[in-house]
Amino acid sequence: MSRRLFEKARRLLSQEHPLLPLPDFKDRRGGLSIALAYLNRYYTAMSNLGFQAVYWLFNQEPGTSCQRVFLPDPEDIPEYRRTDTPLFSLESQQPVRSFDILAFSVSYENDYPHLLTMMDLAGIPLLRKDRNEADPLVLAGGASILMNPEPLADFVDFFVIGEAEETIGPLAHSLRKGREKGLSKETRLHDLAGLEGLYVPQFYDVAYRPDGTIDFFMAQKDFPPRVKKVWLKDLNASVTVSPIVTSNTELSNMLLLELSRGCRRGCRFCAGCYAYFPYRHRDAGLLEKAAVQGKGLAEKVGLVGAAISDYPGILPLGRRILQEEIPLSFSSLRVDSLSPELADLAFRSGQRTVTLAPEAGSERMRRVIKKGFTEETILKAVEILAERGFNTFRLYFMVGLPQESKEDVKGIIDLTRKVQHHALVRSPGKKKAERITVSLNSFVPKPTTPFQWHPFDDLSGLNEKMKWVKEGFRKDRNIIVTADLPKWAYLQTVLSRGDRRVGKLLLTAHKLGGNWPQAYRSVDLNPDFYVYRPRTFEEILPWDFIDPGMKKEFLWEEYQKALQEGRKG
Ligand code: SF4
């Protein structure tokens, strides 16, 4: 056992400030115990409102105690292995494998390999078929699970297909009952599979055709043929706020407060919009009260939502919070709902950098993805911001969008230059924008969006497109281009659109210490099958068994409209 690792955990704990009441974690007698694991390290996890909210919700359940577990920092992993220290919870430093439930909060597909690392460090067999009654039941939920849990189906006993507020109560009740009665795992899973929004993969069979596509996906016995996504109808029924603030995280000492869920805009690429459909928002009074409660404990309030500037009462709410002398933090602002008053509010909060998401460089591409605003609107927003003194801009773009041409990619360079010009002309004293960061991201077509049928752009094409943009600004020191690595976007596509067979790839990569090129070569699976192949409407997609509350026909129509827009030129 490593004393250093335990001391580090205690230090992190001592630097946390609870904003909401939490139980005494030393007393674990009798109740249902849950180890809630985030697939990334503490620094990242504690800035994730979804993870924090689930932690609080589990701890509100009677007879239930939930503690947190994180992916160890990279430098600590060898220490775990060297000292034979099993992965442990933060609060009471108990081994994860001693808990009844190991629940993974999953936000991003590229974190899936961490699930295997964490189970390995915990000493829990990775494959569900190898686990026995003494091992915890393994659960997973979160944004990417809502879209497609199948690549993790060999490792996870059951999945939550829905929002935590609606699922945690019935789920915890069923687990407590099973524990009290000493029911077998099989019986407990059987009971769970009957609950809305829960998916137990062992009760569903899949068969494949010779061409590799799915022949059928079938529920055994009387389990529902499709798993209905459950969602919170009335957002005012609960306020989603971070129960803990800490300085040891990306959003340091920030109280996170959710304004809205989903988005009414329907951009065709947007997983946040489709996975959290339909759009809902909270009453301003509730939000104001929650923000004020954090006064004195948090240094800032971070407003969380898919499109913050679309929130109907954003101005009065922001002003009231500022009156309490609590600075606000706005994430990305949508250009077509950015008013001079909102820009003033952000500036008065101390914000000097603003993130705008044109997503694409040309009007044509923005029509294809249904972004819904023009270049004129983008430049108008830049002027509003520059006039108020904002001098650092982050522009978010995707490359590899459906039907994208070289001209569309060059449009990113042209638009950025125009942003630079308009910021200069409108800034007080005609000062050049201090810095414009162009963030380039490879487009990954996500399940449950209209682009779920569309192939990923090829790797060499993506690398070349990113190179063009970087070349375009080579001589300008005020414009910085940051670009993701398309090879990781390729992996993300495999993991987000894969079926159960992708589990073999994850397991192989884990055994090879994360050597993905070798893993791709070692398994009898062609990853390109999931990445570059266009799908037909008739094909059974791995996530079709989820009923997202939106018809597949609607998504297909949206996809066809996008292709038509692209053909218009
Ligand atoms: S406005 Fe933003 S959050 Fe809303 S659908 Fe478009 S990209 Fe998604």
Side-chain angles (χ1 to χ4, degrees):
M1 298 284 183
S2 165
R3 187 195 290 191
R4 182 172 76 70
L5 294 173
F6 289 118
E7 276 170 4
K8 184 171 178 178
R10 284 194 285 268
R11 196 169 56 248
L12 285 172
L13 208 50
S14 70
Q15 290 166 1
E16 292 186 337
H17 303 288
L19 296 176
L20 298 175
L22 289 164
D24 174 9
F25 293 106
K26 288 192 189 81
D27 184 10
R28 275 183 57 192
R29 278 168 303 175
L32 176 73
S33 59
I34 297 172
L36 177 66
Y38 193 79
L39 293 183
N40 216 312
R41 57 205 192 103
Y42 181 94
Y43 181 81
T44 308
M46 290 305 287
S47 291
N48 185 291
L49 179 56
F51 170 70
Q52 287 226 38
V54 169
Y55 172 62
W56 191 73
L57 285 169
F58 266 130
N59 278 311
Q60 296 313 294
E61 283 297 310
T64 305
S65 162
C66 175
Q67 303 191 29
R68 290 162 292 160
V69 187
F70 304 92
L71 178 75
D73 289 330
E75 67 276 16
D76 291 339
I77 292 182
E79 175 78 354
Y80 271 93
R81 299 207 195 279
R82 188 185 65 78
T83 57
D84 224 3
T85 305
L87 190 68
F88 56 85
S89 66
L90 182 75
E91 286 82 353
S92 67
Q93 291 108 49
Q94 297 290 309
V96 166
R97 65 166 182 264
S98 71
F99 283 72
D100 297 318
I101 308 293
L102 170 56
F104 286 104
S105 169
V106 189
S107 299
Y108 310 106
E109 295 86 356
N110 281 15
D111 283 344
Y112 289 179
H114 299 156
L115 184 137
L116 279 68
T117 305
M118 291 177 80
M119 282 176 56
D120 199 9
L121 288 171
I124 297 171
L126 303 183
L127 293 167
R128 59 180 159 80
K129 70 176 177 54
D130 295 337
R131 295 197 287 267
N132 60 34
E133 294 292 329
D135 295 310
L137 272 175
V138 178
L139 143 73
S144 59
I145 301 300
L146 267 181
M147 290 183 273
N148 177 23
E150 282 300 88
L152 294 176
D154 287 346
F155 312 105
V156 172
D157 295 307
F158 67 107
F159 294 94
V160 172
I161 310 292
E163 296 177 1
E165 295 88 347
E166 290 291 300
T167 47
I168 280 181
L171 156 69
H173 175 76
S174 174
L175 290 168
R176 279 195 305 271
K177 202 179 74 191
R179 189 179 188 279
E180 281 157 21
K181 291 185 176 170
L183 300 178
S184 68
K185 263 190 177 178
E186 174 83 9
T187 313
R188 281 185 288 162
L189 287 171
H190 194 284
D191 291 348
L192 288 167
L195 298 177
E196 265 209 337
L198 290 194
Y199 166 53
V200 182
Q202 74 182 55
F203 298 137
Y204 291 79
D205 298 320
V206 196
Y208 302 94
R209 297 195 173 116
D211 67 1
T213 57
I214 294 174
D215 189 17
F216 65 80
F217 184 99
M218 204 182 282
Q220 295 165 13
K221 296 187 246 169
D222 49 357
F223 294 109
R226 295 188 82 198
V227 179
K228 200 168 169 208
K229 182 186 92 176
V230 290
W231 48 279
L232 181 63
K233 309 279 175 302
D234 177 12
L235 227 52
N236 289 322
S238 76
V239 178
T240 306
V241 60
S242 47
I244 294 172
V245 291
T246 174
S247 58
N248 297 309
T249 187
E250 206 174 338
L251 302 175
S252 171
N253 286 326
M254 192 184 287
L255 178 147
L256 302 170
L257 182 60
E258 187 192 46
L259 265 59
S260 58
R261 209 171 282 181
C263 182
R264 61 188 170 85
R265 302 283 186 162
C267 303
R268 293 185 176 116
F269 62 88
C270 182
C273 172
Y274 284 93
Y276 289 97
F277 167 84
Y279 174 66
R280 292 144 287 161
H281 62 82
R282 285 195 170 85
D283 284 352
L286 282 175
L287 297 168
E288 186 189 340
K289 204 169 144 207
V292 172
Q293 270 171 359
K295 193 175 174 179
L297 289 169
E299 287 171 6
K300 255 189 174 191
V301 169
L303 302 176
V304 178
I308 302 291
S309 42
D310 276 357
Y311 178 75
I314 187 69
L315 277 177
L317 173 70
R319 284 178 185 143
R320 282 199 297 272
I321 295 176
L322 261 188
Q323 268 165 17
E324 296 287 336
E325 295 178 1
I326 311 171
L328 287 164
S329 165
F330 297 85
S331 44
S332 164
L333 294 169
R334 209 183 134 100
V335 294
D336 52 353
S337 49
L338 178 78
S339 61
E341 294 81 7
L342 186 57
D344 280 336
L345 198 67
F347 197 80
R348 277 173 46 218
S349 280
Q351 197 161 333
R352 295 295 177 268
T353 302
V354 71
T355 301
L356 303 175
E359 317 281 6
S362 69
E363 299 286 13
R364 186 180 84 96
M365 267 300 101
R366 281 193 295 275
R367 283 199 306 273
V368 168
I369 61 175
K370 203 178 166 191
K371 195 59 204 176
F373 52 67
T374 60
E375 182 175 289
E376 198 186 334
T377 315
I378 298 168
L379 298 175
K380 181 74 205 151
V382 169
E383 289 180 0
I384 290 173
L385 292 160
E387 280 164 1
R388 274 146 191 88
F390 285 93
N391 58 7
T392 311
F393 296 85
R394 175 175 278 270
L395 303 177
Y396 186 96
F397 292 100
M398 288 181 286
V399 289
L401 287 163
Q403 300 188 321
E404 184 180 69
S405 68
K406 193 168 182 177
E407 283 313 302
D408 296 312
V409 180
K410 294 247 163 92
I412 295 175
I413 302 171
D414 297 341
L415 178 59
T416 304
R417 290 254 176 253
K418 286 180 190 166
V419 166
Q420 189 182 38
H421 172 72
H422 283 250
L424 168 80
V425 170
R426 291 305 178 112
S427 74
K430 300 262 180 306
K431 279 207 302 223
K432 210 172 181 180
E434 227 161 68
R435 183 182 304 156
I436 297 178
T437 303
V438 175
S439 169
L440 291 180
N441 302 275
S442 311
F443 168 62
V444 174
K446 288 290 177 97
T448 73
T449 71
F451 290 137
Q452 63 180 356
W453 291 278
H454 200 79
F456 179 74
D457 202 1
D458 76 279
L459 280 180
S460 57
L462 282 168
N463 282 315
E464 198 177 342
K465 287 170 185 176
M466 291 189 173
K467 213 168 111 196
W468 293 338
V469 179
K470 284 180 186 163
E471 270 300 302
F473 299 118
R474 199 165 45 87
K475 293 192 181 137
D476 195 326
R477 289 197 307 173
N478 292 83
I479 298 178
I480 312 285
V481 181
T482 63
D484 70 4
L485 289 175
K487 67 174 182 180
W488 293 119
Y490 174 97
L491 174 62
Q492 193 188 355
T493 311
V494 176
L495 298 178
S496 70
R497 303 209 299 187
D499 51 42
R500 279 188 195 188
R501 294 169 295 184
V502 166
K504 274 191 288 189
L505 185 63
L506 275 164
L507 190 60
T508 308
H510 175 73
K511 287 179 181 160
L512 292 169
N515 185 337
W516 283 93
Q518 201 182 333
Y520 291 143
R521 287 193 299 273
S522 307
V523 289
D524 57 343
L525 194 75
N526 176 10
D528 287 356
F529 175 80
Y530 302 102
V531 176
Y532 294 137
R533 193 174 52 87
R535 278 87 163 151
T536 62
F537 178 75
E538 289 72 31
E539 180 174 336
I540 300 172
L541 303 173
W543 52 92
D544 274 353
F545 73 93
I546 296 175
D547 173 3
M550 184 181 285
K551 285 208 158 70
K552 201 174 168 182
E553 286 78 4
F554 170 77
L555 296 178
W556 181 258
E557 266 172 40
E558 278 294 300
Y559 179 40
Q560 297 312 306
K561 282 184 196 164
L563 297 180
Q564 276 162 21
E565 282 293 350
R567 283 193 285 267
K568 278 186 198 162

